Amino acid sequence: MLTVALVDRVGSGLWASVSVLYFTYVSGLSLGEVGTLVAAAGAVGIAGAPLGGRLADRFPLTPVLIAVQLLRAVASLALLTTDRYVFLLAFCAVGSLGDRAANVLTKLYATRAAGPDRVRYQAIHRTVANAGWALGGLAAAAALAVGDAAAYQWLLAGDSLSFVGSALLTLRCGEPSSRTRTVITAKDPRPATRPTSPWRDRTYLAYVATDTVLFLDDAVFKVGLPLWIVHVSTVPQGLVPLLLVLNNVLVVALQVPLARFGATTAAARALLIPLSVAFALGGTAMTASATGGTRAAPLLLTAAAVLFTLAEMLHATISWELSVALAPDAAQGAYLGVHGLAQAAQRSLGPLAVTTVIAAGPLGWLTFGGGIAVTCIFQHRLVRDRLTKGPLSVPSITVSEH
Protein backbone atom coordinates (compact mmCIF):
# COMPACT_ATOMS: atom_id res chain seq x y z
CA MET A 1 0.00 0.00 0.00
CA LEU A 2 2.96 2.35 0.46
CA THR A 3 3.83 1.91 -3.21
CA VAL A 4 0.22 2.73 -4.04
CA ALA A 5 0.51 5.93 -2.02
CA LEU A 6 3.72 6.93 -3.80
CA VAL A 7 2.26 6.41 -7.29
CA ASP A 8 -0.96 8.18 -6.31
CA ARG A 9 0.82 11.22 -4.89
CA VAL A 10 3.26 11.56 -7.78
CA GLY A 11 0.25 11.90 -10.09
CA SER A 12 -1.48 14.32 -7.73
CA GLY A 13 1.71 16.39 -7.58
CA LEU A 14 1.75 16.58 -11.38
CA TRP A 15 -1.77 18.00 -11.49
CA ALA A 16 -2.16 20.02 -8.29
CA SER A 17 0.63 22.42 -9.19
CA VAL A 18 -0.77 23.24 -12.65
CA SER A 19 -4.55 22.74 -12.38
CA VAL A 20 -5.37 26.45 -12.13
CA LEU A 21 -3.00 27.20 -15.02
CA TYR A 22 -4.60 24.46 -17.13
CA PHE A 23 -8.10 25.86 -16.67
CA THR A 24 -6.82 29.37 -17.43
CA TYR A 25 -4.55 28.80 -20.43
CA VAL A 26 -5.92 25.61 -21.97
CA SER A 27 -9.63 25.69 -21.12
CA GLY A 28 -9.77 29.49 -21.39
CA LEU A 29 -11.71 30.12 -18.16
CA SER A 30 -11.82 33.49 -16.45
CA LEU A 31 -10.48 34.08 -12.93
CA GLY A 32 -14.01 34.02 -11.50
CA GLU A 33 -14.88 30.82 -13.33
CA VAL A 34 -11.74 29.08 -12.08
CA GLY A 35 -12.46 30.16 -8.50
CA THR A 36 -16.05 28.95 -8.69
CA LEU A 37 -14.95 25.68 -10.28
CA VAL A 38 -12.43 24.91 -7.53
CA ALA A 39 -14.79 25.94 -4.71
CA ALA A 40 -17.77 23.99 -6.07
CA ALA A 41 -15.72 20.85 -6.70
CA GLY A 42 -14.30 21.06 -3.18
CA ALA A 43 -17.77 21.42 -1.71
CA VAL A 44 -19.01 18.32 -3.53
CA GLY A 45 -15.88 16.44 -2.48
CA ILE A 46 -16.77 16.86 1.20
CA ALA A 47 -19.41 14.14 0.74
CA GLY A 48 -16.75 11.67 -0.44
CA ALA A 49 -15.38 11.05 3.06
CA PRO A 50 -18.56 9.73 4.75
CA LEU A 51 -19.62 7.97 1.54
CA GLY A 52 -16.29 6.12 1.34
CA GLY A 53 -16.55 5.11 4.99
CA ARG A 54 -20.07 3.75 4.58
CA LEU A 55 -19.09 1.71 1.53
CA ALA A 56 -16.13 0.24 3.42
CA ASP A 57 -18.48 -0.94 6.19
CA ARG A 58 -20.73 -2.72 3.69
CA PHE A 59 -18.32 -4.14 1.10
CA PRO A 60 -14.77 -5.55 0.98
CA LEU A 61 -12.35 -2.64 1.26
CA THR A 62 -9.89 -3.48 -1.51
CA PRO A 63 -12.45 -3.62 -4.39
CA VAL A 64 -14.04 -0.39 -3.17
CA LEU A 65 -10.65 1.34 -3.18
CA ILE A 66 -9.91 0.05 -6.68
CA ALA A 67 -13.26 1.33 -7.91
CA VAL A 68 -12.61 4.77 -6.41
CA GLN A 69 -9.15 4.94 -8.01
CA LEU A 70 -10.63 4.12 -11.42
CA LEU A 71 -13.34 6.73 -10.87
CA ARG A 72 -10.63 9.33 -10.24
CA ALA A 73 -8.78 8.20 -13.38
CA VAL A 74 -11.89 8.58 -15.55
CA ALA A 75 -12.71 11.99 -14.06
CA SER A 76 -9.18 13.29 -14.74
CA LEU A 77 -9.05 11.93 -18.26
CA ALA A 78 -12.49 13.35 -19.02
CA LEU A 79 -11.16 16.88 -18.46
CA LEU A 80 -9.15 16.48 -21.66
CA THR A 81 -12.30 15.93 -23.71
CA THR A 82 -14.02 19.29 -23.27
CA ASP A 83 -13.67 23.00 -22.56
CA ARG A 84 -17.35 23.51 -21.70
CA TYR A 85 -17.64 24.91 -18.23
CA VAL A 86 -20.57 22.77 -17.06
CA PHE A 87 -18.76 19.55 -18.01
CA LEU A 88 -15.47 20.70 -16.47
CA LEU A 89 -17.37 21.46 -13.27
CA ALA A 90 -19.02 18.03 -13.27
CA PHE A 91 -15.77 16.15 -13.92
CA CYS A 92 -13.87 18.11 -11.26
CA ALA A 93 -16.66 17.44 -8.74
CA VAL A 94 -16.54 13.70 -9.42
CA GLY A 95 -12.76 13.72 -9.10
CA SER A 96 -12.94 15.62 -5.82
CA LEU A 97 -15.52 13.16 -4.51
CA GLY A 98 -13.18 10.30 -5.38
CA ASP A 99 -10.16 12.04 -3.81
CA ARG A 100 -11.83 12.44 -0.43
CA ALA A 101 -13.23 8.90 -0.49
CA ALA A 102 -9.81 7.48 -1.40
CA ASN A 103 -8.19 9.29 1.54
CA VAL A 104 -10.62 7.72 4.01
CA LEU A 105 -10.37 4.27 2.43
CA THR A 106 -6.56 4.37 2.49
CA LYS A 107 -6.61 5.38 6.16
CA LEU A 108 -9.07 2.60 6.97
CA TYR A 109 -6.92 0.04 5.13
CA ALA A 110 -3.89 1.06 7.19
CA THR A 111 -5.94 0.93 10.41
CA ARG A 112 -7.07 -2.62 9.69
CA ALA A 113 -3.77 -3.90 8.31
CA ALA A 114 -1.32 -2.26 10.72
CA GLY A 115 -3.33 -2.82 13.91
CA PRO A 116 -1.47 -1.52 16.99
CA ASP A 117 1.36 -0.21 14.75
CA ARG A 118 -1.01 2.13 12.92
CA VAL A 119 0.67 5.34 14.14
CA ARG A 120 4.08 4.32 12.82
CA TYR A 121 2.52 3.09 9.59
CA GLN A 122 0.74 6.42 9.16
CA ALA A 123 4.00 8.29 9.68
CA ILE A 124 5.75 6.21 7.02
CA HIS A 125 2.74 6.60 4.71
CA ARG A 126 2.78 10.36 5.16
CA THR A 127 6.51 10.52 4.47
CA VAL A 128 6.08 8.52 1.26
CA ALA A 129 3.13 10.70 0.24
CA ASN A 130 5.13 13.91 0.72
CA ALA A 131 7.99 12.47 -1.29
CA GLY A 132 5.52 11.62 -4.06
CA TRP A 133 4.10 15.13 -4.05
CA ALA A 134 7.62 16.57 -4.33
CA LEU A 135 8.53 14.29 -7.24
CA GLY A 136 5.32 15.15 -9.05
CA GLY A 137 5.85 18.86 -8.46
CA LEU A 138 9.40 18.73 -9.80
CA ALA A 139 8.25 16.84 -12.89
CA ALA A 140 5.50 19.41 -13.43
CA ALA A 141 7.98 22.27 -13.15
CA ALA A 142 10.21 20.64 -15.75
CA ALA A 143 7.27 20.03 -18.10
CA LEU A 144 6.07 23.63 -17.79
CA ALA A 145 9.41 24.83 -19.11
CA VAL A 146 8.01 23.83 -22.51
CA GLY A 147 5.20 26.32 -21.97
CA ASP A 148 2.57 25.07 -24.45
CA ALA A 149 -0.87 23.50 -24.10
CA ALA A 150 0.44 20.03 -24.85
CA ALA A 151 2.59 20.12 -21.70
CA TYR A 152 -0.47 20.76 -19.52
CA GLN A 153 -2.39 18.00 -21.27
CA TRP A 154 0.40 15.49 -20.75
CA LEU A 155 0.55 16.36 -17.06
CA LEU A 156 -3.20 15.78 -16.74
CA ALA A 157 -2.85 12.48 -18.59
CA GLY A 158 -0.05 11.52 -16.19
CA ASP A 159 -2.33 12.26 -13.25
CA SER A 160 -4.99 9.97 -14.72
CA LEU A 161 -2.48 7.19 -15.39
CA SER A 162 -1.23 7.38 -11.81
CA PHE A 163 -4.72 6.46 -10.59
CA VAL A 164 -4.85 3.53 -13.01
CA GLY A 165 -1.45 2.43 -11.72
CA SER A 166 -2.66 2.76 -8.12
CA ALA A 167 -5.69 0.61 -8.92
CA LEU A 168 -3.52 -2.09 -10.51
CA LEU A 169 -1.16 -2.09 -7.53
CA THR A 170 -4.10 -2.31 -5.14
CA LEU A 171 -5.15 -5.51 -6.89
CA ARG A 172 -2.03 -7.11 -5.41
CA CYS A 173 -2.94 -6.04 -1.86
CA GLY A 174 -4.75 -8.54 0.32
CA GLU A 175 -8.06 -7.75 1.97
CA PRO A 176 -7.34 -6.70 5.59
CA SER A 177 -9.32 -8.40 8.33
CA SER A 178 -12.33 -6.47 9.55
CA ARG A 179 -14.87 -6.63 12.32
CA THR A 180 -16.96 -4.01 10.60
CA ARG A 181 -18.86 -5.64 7.75
CA THR A 182 -21.86 -7.72 8.74
CA VAL A 183 -23.71 -10.44 6.92
CA ILE A 184 -26.78 -12.60 7.45
CA THR A 185 -25.87 -16.27 7.44
CA ALA A 186 -28.06 -19.27 6.76
CA LYS A 187 -27.54 -20.50 10.32
CA ASP A 188 -28.61 -17.19 11.81
CA PRO A 189 -31.04 -15.40 9.50
CA ARG A 190 -31.72 -12.62 11.97
CA PRO A 191 -30.36 -9.21 10.95
CA ALA A 192 -27.29 -8.19 12.89
CA THR A 193 -27.56 -5.28 15.33
CA ARG A 194 -26.87 -2.06 13.49
CA PRO A 195 -23.59 -0.41 14.51
CA THR A 196 -23.60 2.89 16.34
CA SER A 197 -24.03 5.88 14.03
CA PRO A 198 -21.36 8.61 14.27
CA TRP A 199 -24.07 11.17 13.49
CA ARG A 200 -25.68 10.44 16.88
CA ASP A 201 -22.37 10.44 18.75
CA ARG A 202 -22.06 13.96 20.16
CA THR A 203 -18.59 13.47 21.58
CA TYR A 204 -17.20 12.25 18.28
CA LEU A 205 -18.90 15.04 16.34
CA ALA A 206 -17.43 17.59 18.77
CA TYR A 207 -14.03 15.96 18.31
CA VAL A 208 -14.36 16.25 14.51
CA ALA A 209 -15.33 19.92 14.86
CA THR A 210 -12.22 20.68 16.94
CA ASP A 211 -10.03 18.69 14.55
CA THR A 212 -11.29 20.84 11.69
CA VAL A 213 -9.70 23.81 13.45
CA LEU A 214 -6.44 21.96 14.04
CA PHE A 215 -6.18 21.13 10.33
CA LEU A 216 -5.75 24.87 9.60
CA ASP A 217 -1.99 24.38 9.47
CA ASP A 218 -2.60 23.22 5.89
CA ALA A 219 -4.06 26.62 4.95
CA VAL A 220 -1.07 28.39 6.52
CA PHE A 221 1.33 26.91 3.97
CA LYS A 222 -1.00 26.95 0.97
CA VAL A 223 -2.41 30.45 1.50
CA GLY A 224 -1.23 32.18 4.68
CA LEU A 225 2.54 32.35 4.33
CA PRO A 226 2.55 33.19 0.59
CA LEU A 227 -0.01 35.98 0.92
CA TRP A 228 1.58 37.38 4.07
CA ILE A 229 4.99 37.60 2.40
CA VAL A 230 3.64 39.01 -0.87
CA HIS A 231 1.21 41.60 0.51
CA VAL A 232 2.45 42.55 3.96
CA SER A 233 6.06 41.60 4.63
CA THR A 234 9.12 43.40 3.25
CA VAL A 235 10.77 40.01 2.69
CA PRO A 236 11.60 39.07 -0.94
CA GLN A 237 8.93 36.91 -2.59
CA GLY A 238 11.57 34.29 -3.38
CA LEU A 239 11.33 33.17 0.25
CA VAL A 240 7.88 31.64 -0.43
CA PRO A 241 9.00 28.54 -2.38
CA LEU A 242 11.96 28.09 -0.03
CA LEU A 243 9.65 27.90 2.99
CA LEU A 244 7.38 25.44 1.19
CA VAL A 245 10.39 23.26 0.36
CA LEU A 246 11.51 23.51 3.99
CA ASN A 247 8.08 22.28 5.09
CA ASN A 248 8.27 19.30 2.76
CA VAL A 249 11.82 18.38 3.72
CA LEU A 250 11.08 18.54 7.45
CA VAL A 251 8.01 16.31 7.08
CA VAL A 252 9.94 13.72 5.08
CA ALA A 253 12.84 13.76 7.55
CA LEU A 254 11.01 13.95 10.88
CA GLN A 255 7.49 12.54 10.59
CA VAL A 256 8.55 8.94 11.33
CA PRO A 257 10.88 9.78 14.28
CA LEU A 258 8.20 12.01 15.85
CA ALA A 259 5.55 9.30 15.53
CA ARG A 260 7.11 7.27 18.35
CA PHE A 261 5.98 9.96 20.81
CA GLY A 262 2.36 9.17 19.94
CA ALA A 263 2.57 5.40 19.66
CA THR A 264 -0.26 4.83 22.16
CA THR A 265 -3.63 6.49 22.56
CA ALA A 266 -2.65 8.11 25.87
CA ALA A 267 0.61 9.40 24.37
CA ALA A 268 -1.23 10.81 21.35
CA ARG A 269 -3.64 12.70 23.61
CA ALA A 270 -0.71 14.04 25.67
CA LEU A 271 0.84 15.49 22.49
CA LEU A 272 -2.04 17.97 22.30
CA ILE A 273 -0.21 20.08 24.92
CA PRO A 274 3.02 20.60 22.93
CA LEU A 275 0.86 20.99 19.84
CA SER A 276 -0.89 23.96 21.46
CA VAL A 277 2.51 25.49 22.24
CA ALA A 278 3.70 25.04 18.64
CA PHE A 279 0.60 26.79 17.27
CA ALA A 280 0.85 29.66 19.78
CA LEU A 281 4.55 30.24 19.07
CA GLY A 282 3.99 29.98 15.31
CA GLY A 283 1.36 32.72 15.46
CA THR A 284 3.64 34.85 17.63
CA ALA A 285 6.53 34.51 15.15
CA MET A 286 4.24 35.56 12.27
CA THR A 287 3.14 38.63 14.23
CA ALA A 288 6.73 39.57 15.09
CA SER A 289 7.80 39.24 11.44
CA ALA A 290 5.72 42.29 10.54
CA THR A 291 8.02 44.54 12.57
CA GLY A 292 11.23 42.52 12.30
CA GLY A 293 12.90 44.54 9.58
CA THR A 294 14.68 43.22 6.52
CA ARG A 295 17.15 41.16 8.57
CA ALA A 296 14.99 39.73 11.35
CA ALA A 297 11.82 39.18 9.31
CA PRO A 298 13.19 36.30 7.18
CA LEU A 299 14.44 34.56 10.32
CA LEU A 300 11.10 35.02 12.07
CA LEU A 301 9.18 33.73 9.05
CA THR A 302 11.49 30.74 8.86
CA ALA A 303 10.91 30.08 12.56
CA ALA A 304 7.16 30.34 11.98
CA ALA A 305 7.39 27.86 9.11
CA VAL A 306 9.32 25.41 11.30
CA LEU A 307 6.84 25.77 14.16
CA PHE A 308 3.79 25.30 11.93
CA THR A 309 5.48 22.31 10.30
CA LEU A 310 6.08 20.83 13.75
CA ALA A 311 2.40 21.44 14.50
CA GLU A 312 1.47 19.73 11.23
CA MET A 313 3.51 16.62 12.08
CA LEU A 314 2.30 16.41 15.68
CA HIS A 315 -1.31 16.83 14.63
CA ALA A 316 -0.99 14.16 11.95
CA THR A 317 0.10 11.66 14.62
CA ILE A 318 -2.55 12.75 17.12
CA SER A 319 -5.42 12.85 14.64
CA TRP A 320 -4.63 9.45 13.16
CA GLU A 321 -4.65 7.73 16.56
CA LEU A 322 -7.54 9.54 18.25
CA SER A 323 -9.90 9.31 15.26
CA VAL A 324 -9.50 5.52 15.38
CA ALA A 325 -9.40 5.10 19.17
CA LEU A 326 -12.64 7.04 19.63
CA ALA A 327 -14.50 4.90 17.05
CA PRO A 328 -16.19 1.57 17.85
CA ASP A 329 -14.71 -1.38 15.98
CA ALA A 330 -18.04 -2.31 14.37
CA ALA A 331 -18.44 1.09 12.71
CA GLN A 332 -14.90 2.19 11.94
CA GLY A 333 -15.64 2.97 8.32
CA ALA A 334 -18.58 5.22 9.12
CA TYR A 335 -16.71 6.99 11.92
CA LEU A 336 -13.53 7.58 9.92
CA GLY A 337 -15.70 8.79 7.06
CA VAL A 338 -17.21 11.43 9.32
CA HIS A 339 -13.75 12.34 10.60
CA GLY A 340 -12.69 12.81 6.99
CA LEU A 341 -15.10 15.75 6.91
CA ALA A 342 -12.69 17.69 9.14
CA GLN A 343 -9.94 17.88 6.54
CA ALA A 344 -12.39 18.26 3.67
CA ALA A 345 -14.19 21.16 5.38
CA GLN A 346 -10.89 22.83 6.23
CA ARG A 347 -9.96 22.86 2.56
CA SER A 348 -13.02 25.02 1.90
CA LEU A 349 -12.99 27.13 5.07
CA GLY A 350 -9.23 27.33 5.67
CA PRO A 351 -8.34 29.83 2.92
CA LEU A 352 -11.16 32.13 4.07
CA ALA A 353 -10.02 31.91 7.70
CA VAL A 354 -6.39 32.67 6.86
CA THR A 355 -7.17 35.58 4.54
CA THR A 356 -9.34 37.04 7.32
CA VAL A 357 -6.35 36.74 9.67
CA ILE A 358 -4.11 38.54 7.18
CA ALA A 359 -6.69 41.31 6.72
CA ALA A 360 -6.70 41.83 10.50
CA GLY A 361 -2.99 42.66 10.46
CA PRO A 362 -0.16 41.38 12.67
CA LEU A 363 -2.38 40.82 15.70
CA GLY A 364 -4.53 38.54 13.56
CA TRP A 365 -1.77 35.92 13.60
CA LEU A 366 -1.47 36.18 17.38
CA THR A 367 -5.19 35.52 17.66
CA PHE A 368 -4.94 32.70 15.10
CA GLY A 369 -2.20 30.82 16.95
CA GLY A 370 -3.76 31.44 20.35
CA GLY A 371 -7.21 30.36 19.19
CA ILE A 372 -5.94 27.05 17.83
CA ALA A 373 -3.90 26.52 21.01
CA VAL A 374 -7.06 26.90 23.09
CA THR A 375 -8.81 24.42 20.77
CA CYS A 376 -6.01 21.91 21.46
CA ILE A 377 -6.57 22.23 25.19
CA PHE A 378 -10.34 21.86 24.73
CA GLN A 379 -9.87 18.70 22.65
CA HIS A 380 -7.49 17.33 25.30
CA ARG A 381 -10.29 17.60 27.87
CA LEU A 382 -13.05 16.56 25.47
CA VAL A 383 -11.67 13.09 24.74
CA ARG A 384 -10.44 12.33 28.28
CA ASP A 385 -13.53 10.56 29.62
CA ARG A 386 -14.17 8.69 26.39
CA LEU A 387 -10.64 7.31 26.24
CA THR A 388 -10.77 6.36 29.93
CA LYS A 389 -13.97 4.39 29.41
CA GLY A 390 -12.98 3.09 25.98
CA PRO A 391 -14.90 3.56 22.70
CA LEU A 392 -18.64 3.18 22.53
CA SER A 393 -19.94 -0.22 23.51
CA VAL A 394 -21.23 -2.10 20.48
CA PRO A 395 -22.81 -5.54 20.56
CA SER A 396 -20.64 -8.38 19.30
CA ILE A 397 -21.18 -9.16 15.62
CA THR A 398 -20.33 -12.24 13.65
CA VAL A 399 -18.44 -11.23 10.53
CA SER A 400 -17.82 -13.26 7.43
CA GLU A 401 -15.14 -12.29 4.91
CA HIS A 402 -16.44 -14.80 2.36
Side-chain angles (χ1 to χ4, degrees):
M1 191 55 70
L2 292 175
T3 305
V4 173
L6 179 64
V7 173
D8 184 317
R9 290 301 187 269
V10 168
S12 297
L14 288 174
W15 174 239
S17 56
V18 302
S19 58
V20 172
L21 299 177
Y22 175 88
F23 292 128
T24 301
Y25 296 118
V26 179
S27 299
L29 303 184
S30 67
L31 178 62
E33 288 175 327
V34 172
T36 303
L37 180 76
V38 174
V44 172
I46 291 176
L51 178 60
R54 281 294 182 184
L55 290 173
D57 278 346
R58 296 174 181 271
F59 304 102
L61 179 56
T62 303
V64 174
L65 183 55
I66 291 171
V68 169
Q69 296 285 25
L70 293 177
L71 176 68
R72 298 167 76 194
V74 171
S76 293
L77 198 60
L79 293 173
L80 292 171
T81 66
T82 182
D83 290 333
R84 292 189 61 182
Y85 187 72
V86 64
F87 291 131
L88 292 174
L89 179 59
F91 297 147
C92 283
V94 171
S96 180
L97 192 76
D99 287 342
R100 305 315 306 163
N103 284 346
V104 169
L105 293 170
T106 302
K107 179 178 180 178
L108 186 57
Y109 189 101
T111 299
R112 293 177 180 177
D117 292 328
R118 57 180 177 250
V119 171
R120 177 172 172 79
Y121 180 93
Q122 183 269 348
I124 296 173
H125 180 278
R126 198 161 186 272
T127 300
V128 170
N130 273 270
W133 270 101
L135 290 173
L138 290 172
L144 289 183
V146 177
D148 59 12
Y152 292 102
Q153 292 167 339
W154 277 110
L155 289 172
L156 181 52
D159 181 42
S160 179
L161 288 174
S162 74
F163 298 140
V164 174
S166 297
L168 292 175
L169 289 170
T170 304
L171 280 171
R172 302 177 59 185
C173 298
E175 178 70 17
S177 60
S178 169
R179 287 178 287 175
T180 301
R181 291 190 295 110
T182 61
V183 295
I184 300 174
T185 65
K187 293 181 180 180
D188 184 6
R190 295 171 300 172
T193 303
R194 294 188 64 182
T196 302
S197 169
W199 299 108
R200 294 193 294 269
D201 186 343
R202 294 182 180 179
T203 299
Y204 198 84
L205 291 177
Y207 164 71
V208 171
T210 57
D211 231 29
T212 302
V213 177
L214 303 193
F215 272 118
L216 285 173
D217 59 79
D218 182 65
V220 170
F221 284 99
K222 289 183 177 178
V223 179
L225 271 171
L227 287 182
W228 183 252
I229 290 174
V230 170
H231 293 285
V232 179
S233 175
T234 57
V235 172
Q237 297 181 13
L239 184 63
V240 173
L242 295 179
L243 293 181
L244 297 180
V245 169
L246 175 64
N247 167 258
N248 193 267
V249 169
L250 288 175
V251 171
V252 171
L254 300 177
Q255 184 69 74
V256 174
L258 283 175
R260 72 176 185 270
F261 295 106
T264 66
T265 301
R269 174 176 174 263
L271 283 180
L272 284 165
I273 303 303
L275 176 62
S276 68
V277 175
F279 273 120
L281 292 178
T284 301
M286 290 290 284
T287 296
S289 70
T291 56
T294 56
R295 291 186 177 181
L299 296 176
L300 289 167
L301 287 169
T302 301
V306 171
L307 287 164
F308 280 122
T309 301
L310 176 62
E312 175 187 341
M313 293 185 289
L314 290 176
H315 180 235
T317 298
I318 296 166
S319 180
W320 179 278
E321 175 60 25
L322 294 188
S323 63
V324 175
L326 293 170
D329 291 334
Q332 270 189 353
Y335 270 70
L336 294 184
V338 170
H339 181 259
L341 292 173
Q343 195 167 15
Q346 185 280 141
R347 290 192 175 189
S348 295
L349 301 176
L352 177 62
V354 171
T355 51
T356 301
V357 167
I358 293 174
L363 290 180
W365 283 109
L366 204 60
T367 304
F368 178 83
I372 301 181
V374 170
T375 305
C376 291
I377 303 302
F378 177 77
Q379 187 180 102
H380 185 270
R381 294 179 60 86
L382 173 70
V383 303
R384 178 182 57 192
D385 292 341
R386 177 73 154 265
L387 294 176
T388 301
K389 298 175 182 177
L392 291 180
S393 176
V394 178
S396 299
I397 298 173
T398 302
V399 175
S400 170
E401 292 294 340
H402 303 289

